[in-house]
């Protein structure tokens, strides 16, 4: 839904669509955390809303699975899954193992779109361990890292995958247009931009603020 879509979700959707188009596969977008509202959904218009329990042959499906207690989703032999957050990877592991057993297929891989080191969101808690476990799954996993630096971090900390890919994110096209036009109109100035979410402890924000204050004081000397 547009009110929930920030950079990470937008990037994941863009990657998924490019993967779908280049592969020629049918596709399903399955939402786990919020119901689908067709009027405000950011999913491509070609997708059709389908009930999670409907065994549909529609080529492009949008499935709301936030209300999933006691419900199932049809899974076929050739389905490949892409996880976009640690909890989706954690839940889909059992599905892929079931798929391999029931259909007698070997090693259907999980495509894991990794945009953060997500255990870091939950300092030394149960969620930390659950998130960390998704980087050490017993099923074949193909991670796609959103930045070369993130891929290097995983490698340096001994998270091992048989193959992996990474890319460096690009600036949003509309932001790029504004940036180019503002550069023409104004002289460039040096700026330090710090990103944070007020409700979320993340990225050592308070330490960064202290460091910036110290840096500012040293500039006066």
């Amino acid at each position: 839904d547009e009110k929930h879509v920030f950079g990470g979700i937008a990037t994941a959707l863009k990657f998924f669509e490019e993967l779908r188009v280049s592969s020629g596969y049918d596709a399903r977008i399955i939402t786990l955390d919020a119901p689908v509202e067709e009027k405000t959904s950011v999913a491509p218009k070609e997708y059709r809303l389908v009930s999670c329990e409907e065994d549909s042959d529609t080529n492009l499906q949008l499935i709301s699975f936030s209300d999933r207690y006691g419900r199932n989703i049809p899974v076929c032999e050739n389905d490949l899954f892409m996880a976009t957050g640690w909890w989706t990877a954690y839940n889909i592991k059992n599905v892929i193992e079931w798929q391999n057993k029931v259909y007698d297929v070997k090693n259907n891989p999980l495509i894991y779109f990794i945009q953060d080191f997500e255990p870091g969101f939950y300092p030394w808690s149960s969620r930390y361990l659950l998130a960390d476990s998704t980087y050490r799954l017993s099923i074949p996993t193909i991670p796609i890292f959103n930045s070369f630096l993130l891929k290097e971090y995983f490698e340096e900390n001994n998270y091992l995958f048989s193959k992996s890919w990474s890319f460096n994110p690009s600036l949003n096209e509309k932001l790029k247009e504004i940036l180019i036009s503002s550069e023409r109109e104004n002289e460039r100035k040096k700026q330090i931009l710090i990103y944070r979410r007020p409700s979320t402890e993340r990225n050592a924000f308070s330490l960064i603020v202290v460091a910036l204050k110290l840096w500012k004081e040293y500039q006066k000397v």
Side-chain angles (χ1 to χ4, degrees):
D1 197 273
E2 60 186 18
K3 64 177 174 288
H4 300 304
V5 172
F6 304 102
I9 294 177
T11 303
L13 280 171
K14 185 176 181 181
F15 173 83
F16 181 73
E17 272 300 282
E18 292 193 10
L19 180 65
R20 175 189 72 79
V21 171
S22 64
S23 67
Y25 281 20
D26 295 341
R28 291 185 287 179
I29 297 174
I30 304 169
T31 67
L32 297 184
D33 297 335
V36 174
E37 300 289 344
E38 284 191 280
K39 290 183 179 179
T40 53
S41 171
V42 299
K45 299 303 181 185
E46 299 91 337
Y47 282 77
R48 186 169 74 83
L49 188 61
V50 172
S51 168
C52 64
E53 295 178 309
E54 181 182 348
D55 194 0
S56 171
D57 60 359
T58 301
N59 291 346
L60 301 176
Q61 302 178 19
L62 182 60
I63 297 177
S64 179
F65 205 43
S66 59
D67 180 16
R68 55 186 173 273
Y69 181 77
R71 296 181 176 182
N72 297 298
I73 285 181
V75 174
C76 75
E77 177 180 351
N78 296 320
D79 280 344
L80 297 175
F81 291 95
M82 171 178 150
T84 59
W86 74 263
W87 55 98
T88 57
Y90 187 84
N91 283 312
I92 208 63
K93 171 182 177 291
N94 289 339
V95 176
I96 293 175
E97 289 177 338
W98 172 90
Q99 181 189 35
N100 289 338
K101 181 179 179 181
V102 168
Y103 293 113
D104 192 27
V105 293
K106 301 298 181 185
N107 300 327
N108 269 358
L110 169 67
I111 301 169
Y112 196 172
F113 199 70
I114 301 176
Q115 305 197 68
D116 287 288
F117 179 70
E118 292 185 306
F121 299 164
Y122 319 103
W124 297 111
S125 62
S126 296
R127 285 187 176 186
Y128 179 102
L129 293 173
L130 291 173
D132 182 81
S133 73
T134 65
Y135 306 142
R136 311 176 192 274
L137 295 174
S138 57
I139 57 175
T141 303
I142 301 175
I144 313 293
F145 292 101
N146 184 355
S147 83
F148 303 142
L149 289 174
L150 185 60
K151 183 176 186 290
E152 288 177 0
Y153 179 84
F154 273 74
E155 291 170 350
E156 289 170 1
N157 286 275
N158 297 316
Y159 293 98
L160 303 176
F161 304 95
S162 60
K163 58 178 72 173
S164 64
W165 282 267
S166 63
F167 64 94
N168 267 343
S170 59
L171 192 64
N172 178 282
E173 289 300 322
K174 292 197 177 297
L175 289 177
K176 189 185 294 184
E177 290 174 10
I178 295 170
L179 179 64
I180 293 171
S181 63
S182 64
E183 283 184 346
R184 290 173 183 155
E185 296 170 4
N186 306 299
E187 289 186 17
R188 297 188 66 176
K189 62 179 180 179
K190 294 181 179 179
Q191 282 184 304
I192 299 175
L193 300 178
I194 306 299
Y195 166 77
R196 76 158 296 196
R197 296 181 188 175
S199 60
T200 306
E201 281 285 337
R202 192 174 295 181
N203 300 337
F205 182 78
S206 58
L207 284 178
I208 292 172
V209 170
V210 172
L212 286 172
K213 288 179 178 178
L214 288 172
W215 175 80
K216 183 178 179 181
E217 290 300 315
Y218 281 121
Q219 299 307 302
K220 297 177 182 178
V221 177

